[in-house]
Amino acid sequence: MQTCRLPVEVCEAVIDAIRPDFDNWFDFDTESHALWACALTCRAWRPRAQLVLWTSVFLQHHERIPPFVAVVQRSPARLAPCVRTLCVHPFSSGPVPLRLFAPALPALRVCAFEGVPCMAFPPRAARMRMRAFAALVELRMSRCGFQCVGDLCDLVWACARLERLTVLDCTYAQPPEARFSEADALRIAGMRRRPDACAKLARLKLFGHPFDHPAAPPGSVFGSAVTEFEMVYFDLASSISLGRTLSSFTALHTLSIVGFLLDADTWKTEPALIHSVLSALPPRAPLRTFVLHVETSYETDERTLDALCGREVHEPPDAGATAEPSAPTVRTLAPGLTRLEVSIAGVPMSSQPWWSAQVKERMPSTCGILTVAVTKIKERGLW
């Protein structure tokens, strides 16, 4: 193909539109094939296609890491500024070479690590290498391994401009009783006094987090500037201890809780889930949005309703009696709340009217702000 009949601007817009979806990393390589074809079509298309290919780099296999580092080091001025998104998923039990962090990537905005073992992140080395990521604003870590919680902290604290952080199902080599030493507690206390430690972190998502120790509540590890917080549980019964987690986030305006409701009978001796979470908010928290996504196998079960929302008003014993509040209402617990979304997955779609009517009847104080939806599990999983 010697010439292009379409304007170059139109061709570049098409090339930009077929950029692979970084969030769908399972199909990242397949979606990149079209860009590779564009790069080989003609000279006019090659620069734009190569630029888009280098914008999002996905290192899916362990053996791809050294060639990537070598190429960037050979052309640091031409290639390094192109990389804006980097995903590392080695599919290997061996360590990721630390030289991955050696090239300076001045334009890097998003970095994701999937299944990286703990030996890849020695705290001192990680802290030095991550300084090269000066512009990093989002960090995602899923199923990564660390020697201790302090290693994770070192990695996060090295990103001074971080705005969004996701930590999902990470593991720690040390047993729970050894994860927080006296030295770790002193270091965390020192970081709390540093104004640049997670000062810009506004969005936080956690699953399987170890931050339930008095020496390290999430607010001391990730700063207190968080405004959007999503907590994922395998079993929503674990959310009973959410108070310590939420107490640090005084600026929180959006809260999402996601998880499985494995045993509704757990809540017989506890306040209903929605009221329990809202009562754990710090005083004067400006919460405006609360999203609860529950996955359950029950169809139309009163026990599930009791676990989720209880009943704000007792049934009157006879026609002449007046109803009295049985517990603080949602409006009382979160007076600034403007949106309450309850999403239930795992039940038949045809049960949507029943669930909506029942939840609204049990929480009359939420009239005007409550939305109840029945969804398919595949539409929104835990991740």
Side-chain angles (χ1 to χ4, degrees):
M1 182 176 178
Q2 300 298 325
T3 60
C4 182
R5 297 181 181 180
L6 295 174
V8 176
E9 292 80 4
V10 175
C11 297
E12 291 182 346
V14 173
I15 293 173
D16 290 341
I18 61 175
R19 183 193 313 270
D21 183 6
F22 176 73
D23 290 324
N24 188 20
W25 56 265
F26 283 102
D27 298 326
F28 196 92
D29 273 358
T30 304
E31 294 178 355
S32 299
H33 289 169
L35 283 175
W36 301 342
C38 290
L40 298 174
T41 299
C42 65
R43 293 181 179 179
W45 286 19
R46 185 177 64 182
R48 190 68 171 197
Q50 289 182 337
L51 175 64
V52 175
L53 281 169
W54 274 93
T55 298
S56 298
V57 177
F58 181 35
L59 303 177
Q60 187 174 5
H61 299 286
H62 192 273
E63 59 270 14
R64 292 185 180 182
I65 297 175
F68 166 74
V69 174
V71 170
V72 172
Q73 289 178 337
R74 281 200 303 267
S75 304
R78 184 170 68 91
L79 297 179
C82 298
V83 182
R84 299 179 62 87
T85 300
L86 176 64
C87 179
V88 181
H89 192 325
F91 281 111
S92 169
S93 58
V96 172
L98 278 176
R99 60 178 178 273
L100 170 66
F101 306 119
L105 303 174
L108 190 65
R109 296 294 187 272
V110 180
C111 190
F113 297 102
E114 173 79 20
V116 179
C118 64
M119 58 204 70
F121 297 118
R124 196 175 296 273
R127 188 163 55 246
M128 292 186 296
R129 300 308 193 275
M130 289 297 289
R131 289 175 182 172
F133 296 160
L136 194 67
V137 297
E138 181 172 357
L139 177 62
R140 309 177 190 175
M141 292 178 287
S142 177
R143 297 191 301 107
C144 292
F146 298 90
Q147 185 67 24
C148 62
V149 177
D151 290 5
L152 171 62
C153 296
D154 283 327
L155 195 62
V156 173
W157 291 340
C159 308
R161 300 184 183 181
L162 198 63
E163 298 177 6
R164 300 180 295 275
L165 174 64
T166 299
V167 182
L168 302 177
D169 200 21
C170 290
T171 58
Y172 306 88
Q174 292 183 353
E177 61 273 9
R179 288 176 187 169
F180 289 95
S181 63
E182 291 296 330
D184 289 332
L186 290 174
R187 181 168 52 177
I188 290 173
M191 289 301 297
R192 295 184 67 177
R193 294 190 291 269
R194 286 184 51 182
D196 60 335
C198 298
K200 297 183 178 181
L201 184 61
R203 294 175 58 183
L204 176 63
K205 180 177 181 178
L206 299 177
F207 171 64
H209 72 97
F211 306 103
D212 54 0
H213 192 281
S220 63
V221 177
F222 302 125
S224 56
V226 174
T227 58
E228 299 180 33
F229 179 45
E230 181 172 352
M231 192 71 189
V232 181
Y233 293 99
F234 180 75
D235 184 356
L236 283 169
S238 302
S239 66
I240 295 174
S241 60
L242 188 61
R244 180 182 294 166
T245 302
L246 294 180
S247 62
S248 323
F249 301 134
T250 57
L252 195 66
H253 65 67
T254 300
L255 174 63
S256 299
I257 305 295
V258 181
F260 288 100
L261 186 63
L262 299 180
D263 186 4
D265 292 336
T266 304
W267 304 91
K268 285 184 176 180
T269 58
E270 300 290 340
L273 178 58
I274 293 176
H275 296 79
S276 174
V277 171
L278 294 179
S279 63
L281 292 171
R284 297 182 295 278
L287 189 70
R288 298 194 295 270
T289 301
F290 179 31
V291 178
L292 175 62
H293 178 82
V294 179
E295 301 195 354
T296 179
S297 60
Y298 303 107
E299 293 189 11
T300 55
D301 195 323
E302 292 287 339
R303 295 179 304 154
T304 305
L305 288 168
D306 292 338
L308 293 180
C309 52
R311 188 179 294 276
E312 287 187 345
V313 177
H314 282 304
E315 294 291 341
D318 54 62
T322 58
E324 297 181 358
S326 60
T329 65
V330 170
R331 289 289 194 181
T332 303
L333 296 172
L337 198 67
T338 59
R339 175 173 165 246
L340 173 59
E341 178 182 330
V342 180
S343 177
I344 304 170
V347 298
M349 299 297 291
S350 59
S351 64
Q352 161 84 39
W354 186 89
W355 283 99
S356 180
Q358 291 293 322
V359 174
K360 291 179 180 179
E361 178 184 345
R362 285 168 171 261
M363 296 191 298
S365 70
T366 61
C367 180
I369 65 171
L370 174 63
T371 301
V372 182
V374 172
T375 63
K376 296 180 180 178
I377 291 180
K378 64 180 182 181
E379 292 179 358
R380 179 181 178 181
L382 292 184
W383 317 121

